[in-house]
Amino acid sequence: MTTNRVGRYAARALTMTIATCAVAAAAVLPASAADQPTRQQLMADCASGEGKCTFNTPRLEEAYLGEFRQVSNSLFNCSTSDATQAMTWDDTVGSTDSLGVSVTAGGKIAGIVDLSITASYSHSWSSSHSESSSLNMTVKPGEVGWISRAQVMQKVSGTWQTHYDSPKWGHYYWYFQDTITGPVQNGTDGKSNAVVVKSRKMTAAEKRSCSAGSRKDGTFVQER
């Protein structure tokens, strides 16, 4: 084989190698940010049903007592003696995902999570909990009191899988990790809901409001 022919074969082989490497590199390059859906877009498709979604490998963390929140109106005591009054309270606690977005109202999200947890742990999961009752509350003179409640909560982590009938954003499937926090049954993991009466001293402005009409030497209720 002549030197020229060997050179031509070498050049051709080098060209093919470079072309092959270029194709391989293009195949592994990540898509640009503009080609990627946001988590909100994927969750919206799960909620609407456009994406056929599952919440895979759910992992329940240990239950804990959530933060106290005011669940009643406020009772102001403008008198010079203790004031006792029956106060009603009501509380509704929902679920949020790791971005702080509610998964309680509307769409299919809550049902998908419930189905996954039921299949894995053999008990149902609720995206919200509502409770109401009444309680006698005693407020000292010059103070304002209210009822607060804390709900037993639990986190569940898993992987969302979104399947489309035709490619969307260039793929049939999209995946992302998520953690959902929601209310659980009283007594879960030995944790109990709590309802307490709280109070504080009136501010100067609130004390001045006690001088108005029927509020003087009495009590008044302010809606929360």
Side-chain angles (χ1 to χ4, degrees), residues 28-78:
V28 299
L29 282 175
S32 66
D35 298 329
Q36 302 279 347
T38 65
R39 278 184 45 182
Q40 290 90 334
Q41 288 173 314
L42 293 173
M43 287 290 278
D45 284 353
C46 288
S48 69
E50 180 179 349
K52 297 176 175 63
C53 297
T54 55
F55 188 67
N56 301 329
T57 60
R59 299 176 301 281
L60 287 172
E61 299 181 14
E62 184 175 354
Y64 64 95
L65 188 63
E67 295 182 358
F68 279 93
R69 303 183 308 137
Q70 183 173 346
V71 293
S72 74
N73 295 333
S74 299
L75 178 64
F76 290 77
N77 185 2
C78 300

Side-chain angles (χ1 to χ4, degrees), residues 195-212:
V195 178
V196 298
V197 173
K198 293 190 175 185
S199 62
R200 62 170 174 79
K201 296 288 186 181
M202 289 188 196
T203 66
E206 289 168 344
K207 287 181 178 180
R208 288 194 295 271
S209 70
C210 285
S211 302

Side-chain angles (χ1 to χ4, degrees), residues 56-130:
N56 301 329
T57 60
R59 299 176 301 281
L60 287 172
E61 299 181 14
E62 184 175 354
Y64 64 95
L65 188 63
E67 295 182 358
F68 279 93
R69 303 183 308 137
Q70 183 173 346
V71 293
S72 74
N73 295 333
S74 299
L75 178 64
F76 290 77
N77 185 2
C78 300
S79 71
T80 56
S81 58
D82 290 354
T84 300
Q85 184 171 321
M87 299 287 287
T88 60
W89 60 265
D90 63 270
D91 189 25
T92 297
V93 181
S95 301
T96 56
D97 69 5
S98 52
L99 294 179
V101 178
S102 173
V103 299
T104 302
K108 303 176 181 291
I109 300 298
I112 295 171
V113 177
D114 180 33
L115 182 65
S116 177
I117 293 176
T118 300
S120 298
Y121 292 91
S122 300
H123 67 76
S124 61
W125 175 85
S126 177
S127 62
S128 65
H129 175 80
S130 296

Side-chain angles (χ1 to χ4, degrees), residues 98-180:
S98 52
L99 294 179
V101 178
S102 173
V103 299
T104 302
K108 303 176 181 291
I109 300 298
I112 295 171
V113 177
D114 180 33
L115 182 65
S116 177
I117 293 176
T118 300
S120 298
Y121 292 91
S122 300
H123 67 76
S124 61
W125 175 85
S126 177
S127 62
S128 65
H129 175 80
S130 296
E131 195 169 323
S132 62
S133 187
S134 62
L135 183 67
N136 282 334
M137 183 169 66
T138 298
V139 179
K140 293 187 175 299
E143 293 190 355
V144 53
W146 65 92
I147 299 169
S148 286
R149 179 179 181 274
Q151 169 72 38
V152 178
M153 307 290 286
Q154 193 170 36
K155 296 180 183 293
V156 55
S157 299
T159 302
W160 283 102
Q161 173 186 298
T162 308
H163 172 219
Y164 295 100
D165 291 332
S166 57
K168 191 169 184 180
W169 296 289
H171 294 277
Y172 285 98
Y173 291 90
W174 286 94
Y175 303 86
F176 64 92
Q177 301 292 318
D178 196 13
T179 299
I180 294 174

